[in-house]
Amino acid sequence: MTVRFDNTAQDRRVRVLGEPVESYPRLAPEVQRGSVRRITVVGEEILRRRCLEVTRFGTPELSHLIDDMFATNQVAEGAGLAANQVDVDLQLFVWDITDEWGVRHVGHIANPVLTEVPAGERRLVEESEGCLSVPGPYRMVPRLDRAVVRGRDKDGAPLVIEGRGYFARCLQHETDHLRGQLYLDRLAQRERKAALREMAASKDGMFARRAAVAEKLGK
């Protein structure tokens, strides 16, 4: 399945796994089914190693994990969430994000691989970026404004997801997670240390906010 972004301005329908749908609820169905898990924080070892490939598809366990990741991402008010951010060593991430053109993108992908964008189509954009595993600080991070990710859905069917702008940033950010990389690694040392200091000062407030959202959702 592929979403093309040539006609984004004309077609504002929600994209689920890259395909436009006629209607979609405010809360993804996975959020309703899922349970909230603890989000890992920078310094935990699982965030620093390449995750294992998903090899078993179509299982209840994989579906439950995806549901829990959606619920956790919703409570944390995130755009996307990788499996190692809920302490699971698998190449899997989910997203629920609205881009600059007002198009909402919802989905999951296993074993994602970023496709090389042709040199003539590469444009680097520096914008503010944060991370649920680095609660609090945001920093300017350069990313390509277009991304193509190939992988599989929970049943093993091939997926090709294309994004631009903020959605492209999300696809790159989450794929980085599964390779053991954080956005902090793209910062100069001084900026990285400042971000960590800011996190230390703000994380308790962020955790309290997440708990309040969870309670409101009955999670």
Side-chain angles (χ1 to χ4, degrees):
M1 302 179 209
T2 307
V3 55
R4 310 298 306 185
F5 38 70
D6 315 88
N7 61 352
T8 297
Q10 290 77 32
D11 188 351
R12 299 290 181 88
R13 288 178 293 176
V14 175
R15 266 67 165 184
V16 179
L17 291 179
E19 296 294 330
V21 297
E22 294 304 323
S23 64
Y24 199 76
R26 186 183 67 83
L27 288 180
E30 293 91 341
V31 174
Q32 306 283 11
R33 297 191 298 260
S35 299
V36 175
R37 301 196 186 193
R38 184 186 72 87
I39 296 177
T40 53
V41 178
V42 59
E44 297 186 46
E45 191 270 339
I46 195 169
L47 292 173
R48 285 306 189 183
R49 65 172 184 260
R50 186 179 184 86
C51 294
L52 300 175
E53 285 194 6
V54 177
T55 57
R56 297 186 63 196
F57 295 92
T59 66
E61 292 79 11
L62 187 59
S63 293
H64 291 160
L65 173 59
I66 290 169
D67 290 347
D68 288 356
M69 289 171 66
F70 266 96
T72 304
N73 186 58
Q74 181 70 36
V75 162
E77 301 174 300
L81 187 72
N84 56 356
Q85 292 183 276
V86 292
D87 206 24
V88 176
D89 190 357
L90 284 177
Q91 292 183 25
L92 172 73
F93 70 80
V94 304
W95 64 89
D96 189 341
I97 177 175
T98 299
D99 65 23
E100 298 94 314
W101 298 272
V103 177
R104 183 181 176 190
H105 303 267
V106 183
H108 67 272
I109 191 167
N111 304 335
V113 176
L114 282 168
T115 300
E116 187 72 20
V117 176
E121 300 176 25
R122 294 168 63 93
R123 188 169 77 94
L124 208 59
V125 176
E126 190 171 5
E127 290 189 352
S128 182
E129 190 169 322
C131 178
L132 299 183
S133 290
V134 188
Y138 282 75
R139 290 295 184 275
M140 300 299 287
V141 178
R143 298 272 189 188
L144 293 176
D145 76 338
R146 177 188 173 195
V148 181
V149 179
R150 300 175 184 271
R152 296 190 178 274
D153 71 12
K154 63 184 177 66
D155 297 313
L159 277 178
V160 181
I161 305 295
E162 299 189 24
R164 61 174 177 166
Y166 187 39
F167 185 37
R169 179 172 293 272
C170 176
L171 294 175
Q172 293 168 84
H173 178 110
E174 301 305 333
T175 302
D176 273 359
H177 266 303
L178 304 180
R179 298 185 295 203
Q181 299 176 347
L182 299 170
Y183 87 91
L184 295 175
D185 300 328
R186 296 177 178 270
L187 304 178
Q189 186 177 16
R190 172 184 265 179
E191 270 298 286
R192 186 161 59 247
K193 288 182 176 180
L196 289 171
R197 286 195 299 271
E198 185 177 327
M199 184 195 80
S202 63
K203 65 180 181 179
D204 288 346
M206 296 295 294
F207 294 156
R209 180 184 176 93
R210 293 174 187 178
V213 175
E215 184 177 3
K216 185 176 180 180
L217 290 176
K219 296 291 182 181

